[in-house]
Amino acid sequence: MAKYFDVHPDNPQQRTISNVADRIRSGGLVAYPTDSCFALGCQMGNRDGINQIRSIRKLDDRHHFTLMCQNFAQLGQFVHIDKDVFRAIKAATPGSYTFILPATKDVPRQLPHPKKKTVGVRIPDHVVTQALLAELGEPLLSSTLLLPDEDEPMTQGWEIKERLDHVVDAVVDSGDCGTEPTTVIDFSSGEAEIVRRGAGDTARFE
C-alpha cells in the first residue's frame, strides 16, 4: 500500500520531504508532482524501480527515461553538452522542457537508449520537486505518469493513490498538476530537433 504525503505547494514540510527521500533511497517508487504533470520516480540505479515504471506504463527499451536534475552542475555530470547547446538549454530552464543528450559514463548502463546512448534530462520549475531533489542530492530517474491507453496524465494525488496503491510505494501530493507533458527537444546531434510539443514553448528552438 502506498504512503500518501500531503505537501504544502509553496513551503514543503522538510520532515515530509525527508521521509519521501528516505523511501526513494530505500528502493521505493514514488508518484510526485512536477511543473508539467505528475511523474513516476526512483533512484537512478534502482533496477526494480525502472522495471516497475516500464510495467506500469508498458514501455519498451527504446523509451527515453528522464533524469530530473536540481541544477546545471548536476545535469552536466550525466550528459555531454557543448557550449552552444548549453546556452540554448540554459535560456529555457528551469521549465517544462526535457532535453535528450548523449549520456556520460556516470549514467547507469540500463538507462540510456540502447542504440543512441542518449538520456533525457531536465531541471523543473516546481518548489516541491526542487525540495525533493535538494534532499536527495542526486537526480531522480523519472517518467511521465501517463497510463497505457489514456490520453492525459492523472492530475489528482488521491486518484493516483487509489489506482496505483499496490504498484508504487508513495504518492506526493501538493495540489493539482497540469495535464500537458514537457516539450522534448533532442540535442544529441548538436542541433535542436523537436520530438514532442508540450508545455514548454517551442518558438526558441525553431
Side-chain angles (χ1 to χ4, degrees), residues 60-173:
D60 61 29
D61 63 359
R62 296 185 300 276
H63 175 75
H64 271 106
F65 283 103
T66 296
L67 297 180
M68 192 76 74
C69 299
Q70 183 186 2
N71 50 39
F72 267 96
Q74 199 173 74
L75 184 148
Q77 182 182 347
F78 297 97
V79 290
H80 295 289
I81 182 169
D82 65 29
K83 289 182 180 179
D84 290 338
V85 173
F86 175 86
R87 282 194 290 267
I89 293 177
K90 180 77 170 175
T93 54
S96 300
Y97 297 91
T98 298
F99 300 99
I100 297 173
L101 290 159
T104 69
K105 59 179 174 33
D106 290 321
V107 177
R109 285 188 302 172
Q110 68 267 31
L111 295 187
H113 187 283
K115 291 185 178 179
K116 299 179 180 180
K117 306 304 179 187
T118 48
V119 70
V121 288
R122 86 179 193 92
I123 301 172
D125 186 15
H126 192 278
V127 173
V128 174
T129 316
Q130 280 288 345
L132 181 56
L133 292 171
E135 179 66 24
L136 279 172
E138 62 179 88
L140 186 57
L141 182 139
S142 301
S143 183
T144 301
L145 208 176
L146 179 61
L147 298 182
D149 304 319
E150 296 197 3
D151 295 328
E152 291 188 342
M154 287 181 283
T155 61
Q156 304 279 348
W158 63 266
E159 181 189 11
I160 294 169
K161 169 82 164 74
E162 196 172 79
R163 295 186 60 182
L164 300 182
D165 202 26
H166 297 291
V167 291
V168 301
D169 298 285
V171 175
V172 181
D173 190 1

